[in-house]
């Protein structure tokens, strides 16, 4: 434990956890239903994405937040479509990562996939999340950046 962590612990507060997931964001898929067994299941691509997110989150070795309210800030960096890549006027915005995504899929579907995958690693339950800040930006380097902090 370094000095800043000891000071934070002594003052009863936690450091801001910052995690980068270096894979392209994927929105939460709708559940599929088996007509024979009448059970819902998740698409195999979605399951693989969540496993990959868990792996990257666990690799950061975060300390589990057992209880209390959390504030989460997430930025989804999404690879731009060909139409935007071909515009010379958008080149600088793409390089600076300041061009917002105004297309589907919805931002809440991206959020749901990541928060479900991080449950049990960053926090005990995603119901602890009380404050959320989210944004979708185009980037030539697709990834997801998460910041989590305890709220008092």
């Amino acid at each position: 434990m370094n000095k800043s962590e000891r000071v934070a612990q002594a003052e009863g507060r936690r450091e801001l956890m910052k995690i980068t997931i270096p894979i392209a964001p994927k929105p939460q898929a709708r559940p599929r239903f088996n007509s024979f067994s009448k059970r819902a299941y998740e698409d195999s691509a979605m399951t693989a994405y969540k496993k990959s997110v868990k792996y990257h989150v666990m690799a950061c070795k975060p300390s589990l937040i057992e209880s209390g309210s959390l504030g989460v800030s997430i930025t989804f960096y999404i690879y731009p479509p060909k139409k935007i890549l071909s515009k010379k006027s958008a080149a600088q915005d793409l390089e600076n990562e300041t061009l917002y995504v105004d297309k589907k899929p919805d931002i809440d579907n991206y959020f749901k996939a990541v928060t479900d995958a991080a449950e049990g690693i960053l926090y005990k339950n995603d119901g602890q999340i009380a404050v959320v800040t989210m944004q979708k930006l185009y980037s030539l380097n697709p990834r997801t950046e998460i910041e989590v902090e305890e709220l008092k």
Side-chain angles (χ1 to χ4, degrees), residues 19-25 49 74-77 114 142-146:
I19 296 171
T20 299
I21 301 166
I23 54 176
Y49 172 75
I74 300 183
T75 302
F76 301 101
Y77 293 94
V114 171
R143 65 194 183 282
T144 302
E145 293 181 355
I146 307 169

Side-chain angles (χ1 to χ4, degrees), residues 78-85 94 99 137-142:
I78 298 162
Y79 195 81
K82 289 180 184 177
K83 184 176 180 180
I84 291 178
L85 285 171
L94 281 175
L99 189 60
L137 297 169
Y138 284 123
S139 174
L140 299 174
N141 177 21

Side-chain angles (χ1 to χ4, degrees), residues 18-86:
K18 295 182 182 182
I19 296 171
T20 299
I21 301 166
I23 54 176
K26 184 171 176 58
Q28 176 67 47
R30 293 190 182 274
R32 304 286 179 220
F33 293 93
N34 182 320
S35 58
F36 181 71
S37 67
K38 306 289 189 220
R39 291 189 177 197
Y41 65 95
E42 193 167 64
D43 180 15
S44 61
M46 189 76 245
T47 303
Y49 172 75
K50 285 183 177 181
K51 281 183 181 179
S52 185
V53 168
K54 280 185 180 208
Y55 168 79
H56 289 292
V57 172
M58 284 191 297
C60 295
K61 296 183 170 74
S63 55
L64 179 70
I65 301 171
E66 292 281 341
S67 62
S69 300
L70 303 174
V72 177
S73 177
I74 300 183
T75 302
F76 301 101
Y77 293 94
I78 298 162
Y79 195 81
K82 289 180 184 177
K83 184 176 180 180
I84 291 178
L85 285 171
S86 63

Side-chain angles (χ1 to χ4, degrees), residues 66-119:
E66 292 281 341
S67 62
S69 300
L70 303 174
V72 177
S73 177
I74 300 183
T75 302
F76 301 101
Y77 293 94
I78 298 162
Y79 195 81
K82 289 180 184 177
K83 184 176 180 180
I84 291 178
L85 285 171
S86 63
K87 290 183 181 178
K88 290 185 180 186
S89 60
Q92 189 63 42
D93 289 335
L94 281 175
E95 191 168 320
N96 296 337
E97 297 179 332
T98 57
L99 189 60
Y100 289 100
V101 177
D102 60 351
K103 307 287 184 226
K104 287 191 174 204
D106 299 346
I107 196 167
D108 58 324
N109 292 331
Y110 285 108
F111 177 77
K112 184 72 173 153
V114 171
T115 55
D116 282 354
E119 188 173 62

